[in-house]
Amino acid sequence: MDAQRIHWYDEMPEDVVRGGLSQASDANVGGWDGYYAQVAIDQGVNTVLTIDDDFERFDAFDTEVVLSPDEFTELNRFLGN
């Protein structure tokens, strides 16, 4: 929230992809979550804002889940899950 500017990350270097797969394996989460976590780590992110509590499994940054359990249930209902 206190970011001074948006940083667009448009790269997918092999070492980041491999690191992401390793992160996913270590945290027992999906590959994309591991990739996003690796990008956050590489970029020096302190806190990840998310609707996915899987990110709480990573120790390299703090995680703030922005939806309450009721809001998450409502979102799932809206998405048809």
Side-chain angles (χ1 to χ4, degrees), residues 7 36 39 60 62 65 70-71 81:
H7 177 86
Y36 295 142
V39 169
D62 293 329
V65 180
D70 290 339
E71 291 168 327
N81 291 334

Side-chain angles (χ1 to χ4, degrees), residues 23-40:
Q23 292 285 347
S25 176
D26 292 346
N28 194 29
V29 296
W32 280 110
D33 286 351
Y35 174 73
Y36 295 142
Q38 186 63 51
V39 169

